[in-house]
Amino acid sequence: MSTEVAPEPVRSRRFKFNWVDGFLWFLRVAALIAIVVGVVGSIQQFADGEGPSAAAWRDLIVSSISTGSMYGLIALGYSMVYGVLGFINFAHGEVFMSGTMVGLISATMLFENGFWDSNPWISILVVLVVAMITSTLVAVAIERVAYRPLRGAPRLIPLITSIGVSFFVQYSFAGLFGVAIRNYPPAPSQLSGNVDILGIPIAGTRLLVIGVAVVSMIGLWYFVTQTKTGSAMRAVAEDKEIAGLMGIDVDKTIVTTFAVGGAMAGVAGLLWALLFRGVDFLTGFLPGIKAFTAAVLGGIGNMPGAMLGGVLLGLFEGVGPQLVLAGLGIPAVSQLKDAVAFAALVLVLIFRPTGLLGERLGSEDRV
Amino acid sequence: MPLLEIRGLEKQFGGIKALGGVDFHIDEGEIVSVIGPNGAGKTSFFNVISGMFPPDDGTIVFDGDNVAGHLPNEITKRGIARTFQNVRLFPNLTVLENVMVGQHCRTKQGIWGTIFQTKAQREEEQMIEDNAKEVLSFFGTRLAGYRHDQPAFVLSYANRRRLEIARAMATEPRLILLDEPTAGMNPKETVELTELIGKLRSDRGLTVVIIEHDMKVVKNVSDRVVVLDHGVKIAEGDYDTVSTNEDVIEAYLGRPHGEAGDDEESEYE
Amino acid sequence: MSLDPLTRRWGLIGGAIMAFTGAIGMLVSFDERILISPILSLGYLTLLLAPAIAGHMAARGKVSVLEEPEHDVAQGAQKGLVAGLIAGVFAVVFMLAVNPFDLSEFFPNINDRMFDMMTFDFGLGLGSVVLIVASALAGAAGGAIYGLDDEPREGVFRSAIWVILFSLFELVVSDVIEVDAIVDLIYARGGGLHIWSAIIIGVLAWWLGVRYKGRRAELTQMAKDSEAGSRLRWSLIGVAALLVIVLPMLVGGIVNELLINVALFILMGLGLNIVVGLAGLLDLGYVAFFAVGAYGMAVLTSPLSPAFSPELNWWVALPVVMVLAAIAGVLVGTPVIRMRGDYLAIVTLGFGEIVRILILSDWLTPFLGGAQGITRIPGIPLGATSVSGTSPELFIYMTMLLVGVAAYISYRTQESRIGRAWAAMREDEDVAEAIGISTVQAKLLAFVTGAIIASFAGALFSAKVGTVFHNSFDVLVSIIILVVVIVGGMGSIRGVALGALILIGVLGGPKSQGLLGEFAEFKLLIYGAILVYMMLQRPEGLLPSVRRSRELHQEEAAQDAWLDKKGSFIEEPEASV
Amino acid sequence: MSDRTPVLAFRDVNTHYGAVHILKDANIEIYAGEMVCLLGGNASGKTTTLKTILGYVPPTTGHVELDGENVNGWSTAQRVANGVTMVPENRRLFKRMTVRENLEIGAYLRHGEDLSEDYDRVFDLFPRVKERLAQKAGTLSGGEQQMVAMGRALMARPKVLLMDEPSMGLAPKLVAQNFEIIDRINKAGTTVFVVEQNANMALSIADRGYVLQTGRIVLDDTAEALMANPQMREAYLGDI
Amino acid sequence: MNKKRSLRFLAVIGVLSLVVAACGDSGAEFEAGELGAVTVEAGEAIQIRSLNAISGEVAFLGIPNERAIRMAVEDYGQIHGHDVEVGAGLDDLCSAEGGQQAAQTIVSDEQVVGVIGTSCSGAASGAMPIINDAGLAMISASNTSPSLTSDLEGTAGENYYEGYYRTAHNDLFQGQAAANFVFNNLGLTKVGLIHDGDPYTNGLTTAFENAFEELGGEIVIHTAVTVGQTDMVPVLTEVAAAGPELIFMPIFPAEATFIVQQAPGVSGLENVEWMGADGISVENFMNLPESEGMYFSGPDTRFAENTNEATDLNGAQFLEDYESEFGEAPSADFWGHAYDATTMLLMAIEEVAVVDGDTIHIDRAELREYLTGISGFNGLIGEISCDEYGDCGAAVISIFQHNNLADHQASKSNILYTYPES
């Protein structure tokens, strides 16, 4: 799709007027105007001393980025599976939830015998490992049982399967763990305080969350681009048949992909525990959809895109309502948080149909 | 006035110039072959003409109107039909349905007619079916009889190529673009198809542009041959002129065995 | 005797299922439903079905295309016994492993009630032995059944299925029979069949099956052979229509209420079927159109609509609602028109959520009532009376009328120029465009038609319930409609109806109960399991359309011509957008 | 020749796809150093033959031998590790990966071995490839891609190189070039098994040939004899 | 399954036989009122039904209600020699359509005399048209929406139907109580309100807003979270920006948990007081360290001393029985209301029943009339009197401060305010 209008017939793009394009242009312009007016309104409010204080804005932004980086980690799993198998694994949110849920058992046990407070770092590490192992196992099991028999099926089939898996895992956990919401023990005191970064106080847990996300992302990037398994993964993503011909065990590589995606979801599970503490069997649902949105926002199949998409989505939904909608004079804006997130997705896709970092495929790939 | 006249056609994909200012024309009733090495931009050329991609620059004047930048369905409606290099049928539709759907742009019954089963709608459906059968009969017994109700995916490779041509014919085009119609066919089938292409012109009055690697086919069917390389036209003329053109030999045909120079480098460029 | 790995595998799977259903509390919860009084509850059926199926599968062994399967009762029973034994031992090991710990803090359903249930109230010691024996016997029975010849095996299956159906659907049966004396003859007071009535039903099912063997096949063949427009076809249609008209009179309010719920989902299923099944646009936000229909009708007819309250008659409001839905279809459809597959899925899902969030938001509360919804929506005026959910035996006819309209629209479009264009677009969008189909038009038409059909459902819903709240329109509804379409058979009208009947009618919908109220807690678990099972075993759905089953069984149906097809034999993910 | 062990052999192989009988009692023997071609039209079972060699399609009866060993039940990876490599039709490079990565993947199963010698061999055959090492494979021209595809296969140090339709859809010059290279690879000691529809071209460089028709091997002779076979001339060589 | 369906069966045959059947059915000497009557033959049980949210997110509310209903029926014993049967607990799914469907099930059995339910106000709006049409009486233990009864000043609510009663308090009542407390006792004038999109929570915040503004206070922000939301920083930032002195959030535990846990990370909320309502005065929320110091409004649950006059059971005894039977304390605060509602219904049945040998006749219109006339009934929740719109709440709202993390039951006794002020 061309994003430019060229009215003169000689330099002919899609010069012929087309009302779909017209409508999309209308949307783009309307959105831009709304955003500009809203932001100006908010700035005006801020200047008038209304609306959130500077400190509140700071907290909001930091919190949005940390939530967003958690989305990003989950989104990586969507993106990796999409890259390799070409379908959206709706059950990935449940993979994330399982890590958080089982991690809770270890955290509760550690808390009950006092280890949590005496050795917070080791405790967090233990929870991290438990969450990662659980999520990895769940992801691999799902692949084995539900997706492997579907290799080669039209892509709608595994997608629907993943919806089924998602229900199944959710309600299995509801049955196993009960439906009540449970809470992780409060973050150890060493973490709950503020840390000064360049003179700006930032909540320790949020900083840790962002740090863990960055480290995981770098580790994953190294794994995918610099190791043999990583290049095998990319090869399988591009052409399973040929990868198999080169001696790559395609099934094993796919399992690896699920495992790595699961492990990242497990890390996200720990981050969830640090950020929100409360867990129930539906914990994976909304973050799952958000992460999926983030993956698409960044350009699905693209790993840096997933991370970027996650952080941006966190910012859109966290800061967006306050920054744009409040400025437009809409009441109770944070209620519209999720609507803003999805609207942002629609807008981004209208501007860039392949997502932010999604590749525009060349003619060879397309036709 | 030529049926199709193209000037300065340009198209880039991610920094790679697929078409670098191609001029081209074809008169009503002509059969022109487009040849060139792999990756020379032949298929991109078809894609741009048929509207799959808008050109970056240039004009495509078909029957007096510039159609550059129009949507593919609009271009098809104006009378340019095409087939695809790697055969793209609707595999789960029956043979007959594949052809019937080709007449979409020549028919007009909408949702109301469909829901209320108006007389006009019923007549049109009948007409679509009759036309489709008529088009299929063009291929003799190959796609006739029980084949009508078979899903397209059970067809043999050659029959799929034929069906794709039939589907293109059903759009009632004036110009038909055939992308490697004989690829993957055995010599017998190739000969048969070559004759068929001739019949497209003689029986159906179609103008044909064809991309082909099989030089026998090119020699047999074309009035004129256009050679593309790196998105640029490097030669044009009748078969004999083109096939002896040094640039064409260098870029595309290669020298017959034994004639190759000793210069290894040049051989593998 | 060496252990066949397949037997071991099925035994372990069976055992895992036993342990799993116990640990999630399913067995205990199902135990409250008596099937055959007093010997069998749904819980024990579930518990013993696992080893029985394991035994059956173990006896079946590996199925080869080339060889006729062998049927031998003794051998089947033996294999089944071993598989059942393994399953039972697994379940016991599970119980013994978890028993020493107090896990109730984390696993509330691993509790005494579970142990009591799984050990048949005999205590852990003796009970374990009993469980193993019972499981082994169930496995042996399952295996032996496989070993039977075709005819008796079918007889056993038929009897078992009918007995289970009669006991599960006690509510319907007693609602239809209506005469207390007869109901009491069949069912025990506390629920469940009497033993003797179960036996009679089983024997009858067997006998009728044998007696009319071949007749059914003959009949269906006859129905198939009857040409469209022929006398036979018309009389068949007539009989079906008569049945549909008379049926609601025969059943009571509960079943009619249930049927209305089912019909609403058939309606939405038919609409979504046009979008997804025919046009191939994966819409995960279909509920948005349902919401537009429901809220549109509420605003137009309710005297309590907050801002704008014309208090129109339902019939007058309906066309307005349809127009609103069509506009919504265009508004949602246009931005996504250039998006494909998965992008379309997430964006439509987003639209669905946006609509729900906006309805709820305090921002639009002055217009749509926000959290307080819109109430006092009048029913559908019909002559002197007004039909609403308070009289389901009349309202069902309204729903059926609109279902009929939607089915007719689907049926007509499917085999027409428009239907072919959709089919082509579904198969290959680029090519469809290249052969002269305006995909923009085709997509919008699909969206709009789908939206209008969903708005029918919404309009009915408002009039039926009398109130609308935002929580009736969450994303789960979209997904369940999709599941209905998929399980029933994409692209197939009959399939959608069957899917809705089974899922919504039996298991229950997102906001309604099905016949099996006991399943409520586990409804979505079962939905998930059904969905996965269907996708693995019968991805085309229960009653698929021809095209759809072609698509999914291309490989099997293909002649060797297709084997040499160009391209890969492992399908590559298509490059997106 | 029967006293030697064939590098690759089919022994009475039958394959089914669902209920469809594809290969019917196929017997093929390929000896070290040979260049053998398998000719056949569409739907004759050529692709199935390749899939059977690589283990994607299990024979229902009969077996495939590598170096005299029955390899039924081996995974594709095992077979590749034992010296079977294929150059697929249409090149099929990993377009989003660099040329170097493509070559590395060719040597995927050769863990920890020094690859410099193999690189040299590839660069020797295709000097052009060396210049393009850091480029994304998708940006190369058609001819260059063909070279990388062959280089990638050679990186596995195959005992038998399978070529799937090396002339399909290629410009005449490229077809000639391809067969030239195949010839050279064969002369350099690699056994080559070419599956082709273009019988003229294939027979011009092959030692022997098999002709496959609807799953059955109907002819099996030296290249010269096949060229001279009148049936052959009519059906596959385009003389009508 | 013992149900009388003769009328419906005959409807199929035709109007004529319907008339005949109807005549034949009412041949007894007992004269039924305009809503008809239920005749319980010898040996049969009197049928009542329980309709509560027993699955899903709001099950914590519905399950103790249903249990209390069963306990009440058991404690009450036989009525004129007939057992009382509740049948399987019906689920209102906390939604209008769920309520409607369940109501359909209830009215399909013509032997049913009355219903105890629903748990959620939305469900009542779906169920009542059908319940009312069938002439039944329904008493809810936990519906609080004003629209179901009246505005307490003599105007019927928009969803008021005859035959509807409740022992739960009207939101307007609690709104007034909470507003009074905040304005008068705490002396705060700037309040932020958070609801969660549920009709109940939204109704309560709206009631608070009206009452508080009436008193002269200022609602600086009235916003909402959504059910299932976890990231509360944006909404808290929005609230903080408005500068409230107290935040009143009558929402449910899941979202409230996230709010109190994340509030410390938001600048501007450091000195804010928090107040919740009965939705979160539950164990798992009050176990959170962050919940300490919060105020809670809700029905006064100091029922220990109150005795239900129909069963002679006091609150302390009830809780003891409950714990011994179900192994846990009730998960919500409306058990007393449910118990009283049930005994009220049973008492009404007993009073209006016309005994005819072993058979009894219960006239539906008279049943309603009796319920409307209830006055000064002593229940667990206090003295119950019904008004003409069915509000029967004992109407004591108490507000306590959570000051004892270790023992939240003790906190519940730390009552700072009760309404009406005595």
Side-chain angles (χ1 to χ4, degrees), chain C residues 170-171 174-180 183-184 187-191 246 249-254 257-258 261 304 356-357 360 362 365 369-372 375-376 388-393 461 463-472 509-514 520-521 523, chain E residues 1-12 43-44 55 85 90-91 93-98 100-102 104-106 108-109 121-123 125-126 129-130 133 145 147 157-161 195-204 206 222-227:
Chain C
E170 184 175 336
L171 192 70
S174 51
D175 205 35
V176 170
I177 291 180
E178 310 226 358
V179 182
D180 292 348
V183 172
D184 283 343
Y187 295 110
R189 280 236 153 175
V246 172
M249 298 182 189
L250 292 176
V251 299
I254 313 170
E257 165 81 24
L258 211 64
N261 286 333
L304 294 181
R356 189 185 64 84
I357 293 167
L360 169 62
D362 289 340
T365 295
Q372 303 299 335
T375 55
R376 289 267 175 188
S388 73
T390 54
S391 46
E393 44 284 273
F461 177 86
K464 170 184 177 275
V465 182
T467 57
V468 284
F469 292 107
H470 69 95
N471 63 3
S472 304
K511 289 282 187 295
S512 67
Q513 294 212 340
E521 266 177 87
K523 184 165 65 189
Chain E
M1 291 270 132
N2 181 19
K3 294 172 185 174
K4 196 163 191 170
R5 298 182 187 77
S6 50
L7 278 177
R8 213 180 322 109
F9 176 61
L10 291 167
V12 183
E44 286 183 355
S55 72
E85 240 175 57
L90 292 153
D91 195 348
L93 295 164
C94 207
S95 68
E97 52 276 43
Q100 186 179 49
Q101 189 185 14
Q104 209 62 253
T105 310
I106 291 169
S108 73
D109 185 346
S121 298
S125 68
I130 294 172
D133 265 19
S145 165
S147 76
E158 39 200 54
N159 293 312
Y160 171 68
Y161 290 88
H195 69 91
D196 72 355
D198 184 87
Y200 157 67
T201 65
N202 178 242
L204 195 46
T206 309
H222 189 164
T223 187
V225 294
T226 49
V227 174

Side-chain angles (χ1 to χ4, degrees), chain C residues 328-559:
Chain C
V330 173
L331 286 182
V332 172
T334 312
V336 302
I337 221 147
R338 303 269 160 78
M339 297 173 194
R340 293 194 184 179
D342 314 297
Y343 284 66
L344 188 79
I346 184 66
V347 170
T348 47
L349 190 150
F351 270 121
E353 276 294 275
I354 290 175
V355 166
R356 189 185 64 84
I357 293 167
L358 286 181
I359 288 174
L360 169 62
S361 73
D362 289 340
W363 183 34
L364 296 183
T365 295
F367 307 95
L368 299 176
Q372 303 299 335
I374 298 178
T375 55
R376 289 267 175 188
I377 303 165
I380 304 171
L382 211 63
T385 58
S386 153
V387 183
S388 73
T390 54
S391 46
E393 44 284 273
L394 288 177
F395 200 85
I396 181 77
Y397 290 104
M398 285 310 305
T399 7
M400 286 194 317
L401 177 75
L402 288 185
V403 167
V405 169
Y408 181 78
I409 292 175
S410 307
Y411 171 72
R412 281 300 178 206
T413 45
Q414 221 162 353
E415 296 302 323
S416 71
R417 170 177 177 268
I418 292 166
R420 280 191 301 273
W422 282 336
M425 191 168 74
R426 202 166 91 77
E427 303 244 318
D428 193 330
E429 199 179 320
D430 289 331
V431 179
E433 178 79 31
I435 63 164
I437 294 167
S438 166
T439 50
V440 169
Q441 263 178 28
K443 281 182 179 179
L444 283 183
L445 187 64
F447 267 115
V448 167
T449 317
I452 289 177
I453 293 180
S455 76
F456 287 171
L460 285 171
F461 177 86
S462 284
K464 170 184 177 275
V465 182
T467 57
V468 284
F469 292 107
H470 69 95
N471 63 3
S472 304
F473 308 101
D474 61 22
V475 60
L476 190 63
V477 180
S478 294
I479 292 178
I480 300 255
I481 302 169
L482 183 69
V483 173
V484 163
V485 174
I486 301 275
V487 168
M490 218 155 66
S492 146
I493 297 171
R494 294 176 310 154
V496 171
L498 184 68
L501 210 58
I502 292 179
L503 293 176
I504 309 301
V506 177
L507 287 174
K511 289 282 187 295
S512 67
Q513 294 212 340
L515 277 175
L516 302 178
E518 293 77 10
F519 284 16
E521 266 177 87
F522 302 103
K523 184 165 65 189
L524 289 172
L525 181 85
I526 297 169
Y527 261 88
I530 290 180
L531 211 49
V532 174
Y533 179 80
M534 289 285 294
M535 288 302 107
L536 295 181
Q537 298 299 327
R538 203 179 157 80
E540 70 274 27
L542 294 170
L543 288 176
S545 73
V546 183
R547 272 179 201 146
R548 182 78 185 150
S549 43
R550 266 185 216 149
E551 183 178 329
L552 291 159
H553 293 284
Q554 260 188 9
E555 291 191 350
E556 289 152 45
Q559 300 170 355

Side-chain angles (χ1 to χ4, degrees), chain A residues 240-246 248 250, chain C residues 569-570, chain D residues 17 50-58 74 76 79 86:
Chain A
K240 274 179 260 327
E241 194 184 348
I242 302 305
L245 281 180
M246 299 297 135
I248 296 170
V250 175
Chain C
F569 32 97
I570 301 170
Chain D
Y17 214 78
L50 285 176
K51 288 180 191 170
T52 312
I53 296 174
L54 289 161
Y56 284 117
V57 177
W74 285 24
T76 305
R79 294 171 197 227
M86 182 162 101

